[in-house]
Amino acid sequence: MSRKIKEIPAQLVSKIAAGEVITRPVDVVKELIENSLDANATKISATIENGGQTRIIVEDNGEGILPEDMELAFKLHTSSKISEERLFNVGTLGFRGEALSSIAIVSKVKCISSVDGKNAMEIVLEGGKVLSKKNGRRTRGTKIEVSAIFFNVPARRKFLRSAETEKRLIRTLITHFALIHPNVHFELLEKKGNRTTHLLQAPSRMTKLATVFDVLGNEIASQLIPLSGQAGRWKIEGFISIPSYTKRDRSLQYVSVNKRIVRSGDINSAIEEGYGAQLLKGHHPAIIVDLVGKNEWVDYNVHPQKLEVRFDPNDNVLEELAQMVKDTLEKESHLPELTEHKAKGVENQPVSSPPEKGEIYTAQPIQAEEQVERYTQYTLEDMVGSAGVAKSGAVKVAGGYRILGHIMNKFALIETDTELWIMDVHAADERVKFEQYENIKSDLVMSQSMLTPVKIKVDHEDFNVLDEIQPLLKSYGLEISTVPETTVLVHSIPVYFDQTIDRQTISNVLQGFAAYFKETSEKAVTTPLDELQYKVVARLACHGAVRSGYPVSNHKLAEILNNLLKCKYPWTCAHGRPTVIRIKQGMLESWFKRVGQ
Ligand code: ADP
Ligand code: MG
């Protein structure tokens, strides 16, 4: 290989640079739509063929490009938006003047645009060279057609993913634009041969929530709670999902900063942190959140595709945001009625009829305490009360809860006025126990003493682990002492233990603890407890809770339900798994095709 340094030909330099801005079809769509938004378009329509690899057309009704500017717009580093004094205070989405030129360098482009709605100019380019220019007519706005992307960059073409993947990315991108700009009409069409079909239709709406329904659908929209307020100096607007509604990836997370799409992940992580222990490891909530502040508070100029932003090191927005999520989740407590209430303000949305005691459908968000009170004003006696239990019959419960029974030795069936609940008994009881432990003040030792200490043999490794966490266990009512090198004496166990306390159970508990602590670190949970405490408490809760696979009486089920509804986070267990699955009457009716009857 020759080591002689040579100047890289200008054409190659520009191709390399173009490759940084445009790496795949979705990048073209993003840049073109950003230009349309910068031109104040109110309707933006994208059409793709073969996932954009064959053709991408973006048409808008924006301000248009002057005929004399047409050629200039496709030259590198030409822009009508930037000025030196505005470099650090950019209000438009584009500002580097690289997009159109980059696109033109790696594809074939036809652009027609009109500023006055009459006279238009049409230009055709290939590989960045102008092939033709002519005058024409069209309505106000711009239409840009990009075809044969990377026709002259074979290396890039080889690395393109499947058309399906590109299509999905483009769909997600336009969904995101629509969520950020509810007042702009977006549509995405797909052309296959002579057929054109709609992939996405987001008409101009008055509220973001209405657009959420349009682009994400009822099912997701009904699982969202509003997240809004002030996080430090930033204004936060948007929605997050209830903790039990998650996905295994982050595909339902749409974050923007000053109406720019960002993907850097810091904001997403901060929001997830606010969920704390309610999120199962590897699960991600839906996030549709915009941060609104001054442009000079962030640096957008850190990523070729402008997908990252850099906050001022002194900006505490991320911590504030996590706290805000935490407070919001606590406040909402996401009880079922509230979800329906949220859905109510939106046009065309079917709303199931309110239950008899309709006062919960107030216009104001209801405080968690009030809600819990409504559920818990029925004491256990009420719940199992006068109706009694027929051998195979339901426990009739006041307040609309009826325990129908225990199935598969795992789940409780519960009927409310409008819903069927399936409760995972172990998970629910685990949540109850977890919060009971969490609330223990360290000076309160809630334990039951053994008449004589129970002696358990363990191996060396387990011995060391148990010895180390001994003080912590004690503060939660599990009192042990160690006799080197392999003996543990158990003096007392927590009062919340429901299981029959025999030697084997206690041995299982200790071994379970040791194994749990040897596992490499759990997910980073945020909870009032530190990580070690959390582990102890979660483990105690798990051991103390009624076990799956054993019969449980309806009375016990009623007690667990009653306690669960008093919890701060009733809908997930200590490990983040759901405790209750709710099936609305309407859902059953639609499954049985009884809708409208
Ligand atoms: P930038 O957006 O960074 O200014 P671009 O290469 O994306 O650079 O666009 C170059 C210029 O072309 C823009 O500054 C704008 O004046 C003009 N332009 C591009 N697309 C449109 C459009 N859809 N409507 C009106 N003007 C446009
Ligand atoms: Mg641009």
Side-chain angles (χ1 to χ4, degrees):
M1 192 172 82
S2 147
R3 300 206 62 237
K4 178 140 182 58
I5 295 176
K6 284 177 283 214
E7 203 170 319
I8 305 171
Q11 224 205 332
L12 188 54
V13 172
S14 59
K15 239 196 229 183
I16 294 168
E20 269 183 50
V21 181
I22 304 300
T23 64
R24 55 201 305 174
V26 66
D27 301 339
V28 173
V29 180
K30 178 165 186 283
E31 293 294 343
L32 295 180
I33 291 181
E34 286 187 347
N35 282 344
S36 298
L37 288 167
D38 281 344
N40 295 312
T42 57
K43 181 170 184 201
I44 300 171
S45 168
T47 307
I48 56 172
E49 258 175 75
N50 192 25
Q53 296 176 15
T54 303
R55 197 183 315 277
I56 294 167
I57 302 169
V58 171
E59 183 164 12
D60 69 45
N61 62 356
E63 286 154 8
I65 304 172
L66 288 167
E68 62 267 32
D69 280 351
M70 267 298 221
E71 212 177 318
L72 210 54
F74 287 91
K75 286 225 171 78
L76 187 57
H77 299 140
T78 55
S79 172
S80 58
K81 300 166 195 172
I82 199 162
S83 59
E84 210 161 329
E85 64 273 20
R86 283 205 319 152
L87 183 52
F88 298 103
N89 181 10
V90 189
T92 51
L93 295 167
F95 55 89
R96 292 200 293 223
E98 313 181 304
L100 287 191
S101 62
S102 299
I103 293 168
I105 286 166
V106 299
S107 67
K108 302 178 184 179
V109 172
K110 184 159 112 187
C111 172
I112 176 160
S113 188
S114 169
V115 172
D116 60 10
K118 294 194 285 275
N119 303 306
M121 165 71 88
E122 183 185 296
I123 186 172
V124 177
L125 301 97
E126 192 177 299
K129 293 211 175 64
V130 179
L131 294 190
S132 71
K133 261 170 78 172
K134 65 171 192 239
N135 293 311
R137 298 181 79 77
R138 66 156 279 146
T139 52
R140 194 184 92 134
T142 305
K143 177 177 174 182
I144 299 187
E145 185 177 328
V146 177
S147 55
I149 182 169
F150 301 133
F151 79 99
N152 53 354
V153 196
R156 188 68 87 182
R157 211 169 49 228
K158 259 205 321 249
F159 285 104
L160 279 181
R161 306 280 297 280
S162 73
E164 274 309 305
T165 304
E166 295 298 330
K167 179 167 130 185
R168 185 173 48 73
L169 291 173
I170 292 169
R171 208 193 129 95
T172 303
L173 174 83
I174 297 181
T175 300
H176 200 163
F177 274 121
L179 289 167
I180 298 173
H181 305 272
N183 55 340
V184 175
H185 182 169
F186 285 92
E187 62 180 7
L188 172 61
L189 302 126
E190 179 176 40
K191 192 158 182 270
K192 268 187 191 159
N194 288 328
R195 271 182 57 132
T196 304
T197 49
H198 264 103
L199 296 180
L200 197 77
Q201 181 71 269
S204 167
R205 296 288 194 188
M206 301 287 282
T207 66
K208 191 188 283 294
L209 187 57
T211 299
V212 170
F213 274 95
D214 289 334
V215 298
L216 298 179
N218 280 351
E219 204 223 321
I220 294 168
S222 65
Q223 307 292 326
L224 300 176
I225 49 181
L227 182 76
S228 68
Q230 206 66 29
R233 55 185 179 171
W234 291 86
K235 193 161 151 249
I236 309 298
E237 303 170 337
F239 301 92
I240 55 176
S241 61
I242 59 172
S244 57
Y245 190 85
T246 55
K247 289 197 74 171
R248 298 309 299 262
D249 55 35
R250 286 182 150 160
S251 59
L252 280 179
Q253 301 195 345
Y254 298 92
V255 173
S256 76
V257 175
N258 290 342
K259 298 199 181 283
R260 287 165 184 278
I261 293 175
V262 295
R263 291 219 197 294
S264 58
D266 293 355
I267 298 165
N268 310 54
S269 302
I271 292 174
E272 291 191 358
E273 204 182 301
Y275 280 76
Q278 297 189 83
L279 270 190
L280 198 59
K281 188 176 185 174
H283 286 238
H284 304 280
I287 297 175
I288 299 137
V289 167
D290 301 324
L291 277 66
V292 184
K294 291 199 174 149
N295 284 313
E296 66 257 34
W297 291 349
V298 274
D299 185 1
Y300 304 109
N301 208 3
V302 290
H303 186 273
Q305 293 156 337
K306 300 167 289 181
L307 285 171
E308 284 173 25
V309 288
R310 198 175 284 150
F311 290 100
D312 192 311
N314 298 317
D315 198 322
N316 60 350
V317 60
L318 297 178
E319 295 82 20
E320 293 276 347
L321 193 52
Q323 188 59 43
M324 182 173 178
V325 169
K326 190 165 174 272
D327 294 344
T328 300
L329 292 175
E330 252 163 50
K331 197 156 46 157
E332 294 278 343
S333 192
H334 34 81
L335 292 169
E337 279 79 358
L338 206 60
T339 312
E340 294 197 340
H341 163 74
K342 289 287 175 279
K344 229 171 138 184
V346 175
E347 54 215 74
N348 302 331
Q349 291 313 316
V351 178
S352 54
S353 54
E356 266 174 33
K357 298 191 172 180
E359 67 268 32
I360 202 156
Y361 283 79
T362 54
Q364 292 303 312
I366 301 145
Q367 293 300 308
E369 287 74 20
E370 288 172 43
Q371 291 180 22
V372 170
E373 215 172 81
R374 268 190 49 75
Y375 281 96
T376 53
Q377 56 188 292
Y378 315 108
T379 62
L380 179 57
E381 283 70 29
D382 289 337
M383 291 178 105
V384 293
S386 54
V389 196
K391 193 162 187 308
S392 60
V395 175
K396 289 228 174 67
V397 169
Y401 291 100
R402 286 169 294 277
I403 308 278
L404 304 181
H406 194 221
I407 57 168
M408 301 161 191
N409 278 339
K410 276 197 188 80
F411 308 108
L413 291 188
I414 300 151
E415 186 188 7
T416 77
D417 283 348
T418 55
E419 297 184 352
L420 173 66
W421 289 16
I422 304 172
M423 178 171 82
D424 181 321
V425 181
H426 172 78
D429 199 31
E430 190 181 303
R431 162 54 61 188
V432 169
K433 298 279 184 310
F434 182 85
E435 294 202 3
Q436 283 170 342
Y437 284 117
E438 209 183 27
N439 291 331
I440 294 177
K441 306 276 174 293
S442 49
D443 52 351
L444 256 178
V445 181
M446 313 276 265
S447 59
Q448 38 194 332
S449 300
M450 305 278 124
L451 287 175
T452 49
V454 181
K455 200 167 158 185
I456 310 278
K457 285 267 174 214
V458 295
D459 66 25
H460 274 278
E461 227 185 320
D462 289 3
F463 180 89
N464 291 336
V465 175
L466 293 167
D467 192 40
E468 190 191 321
I469 60 173
Q470 187 186 325
L472 201 54
L473 291 176
K474 185 177 171 194
S475 66
Y476 288 100
L478 181 62
E479 203 174 336
I480 61 171
S481 62
T482 50
V483 184
E485 306 251 309
T486 55
T487 306
V488 175
L489 296 172
V490 180
H491 303 277
S492 68
I493 62 164
V495 280
Y496 298 124
F497 267 50
D498 269 326
Q499 302 174 27
T500 31
I501 302 149
D502 53 23
R503 212 170 160 282
Q504 190 52 48
T505 308
I506 292 172
S507 170
N508 287 346
V509 170
L510 290 182
Q511 278 177 25
F513 256 112
Y516 187 58
F517 275 83
K518 278 185 291 187
E519 278 168 24
T520 42
S521 79
E522 275 268 287
K523 69 176 228 137
V525 287
T526 40
T527 145
L529 310 170
D530 67 30
E531 202 189 327
L532 204 60
Q533 275 178 321
Y534 180 85
K535 279 188 158 190
V536 168
V537 170
R539 197 69 203 166
L540 284 173
C542 181
H543 277 301
V546 301
R547 272 186 285 180
S548 265
Y550 294 87
V552 180
S553 74
N554 283 3
H555 289 82
K556 182 71 192 169
L557 296 176
E559 182 193 315
I560 293 171
L561 175 62
N562 190 32
N563 285 330
L564 182 70
L565 293 170
K566 284 184 204 159
C567 285
K568 212 155 67 176
Y569 301 116
W571 310 115
T572 52
C573 78
H575 302 100
R577 287 188 286 271
T579 53
V580 174
I581 286 172
R582 302 190 316 256
I583 303 169
K584 294 195 177 111
Q585 185 179 335
M587 228 181 262
L588 283 173
E589 281 164 351
S590 82
W591 289 342
F592 289 105
K593 313 267 181 246
R594 291 178 62 103
V595 178
Q597 287 191 9

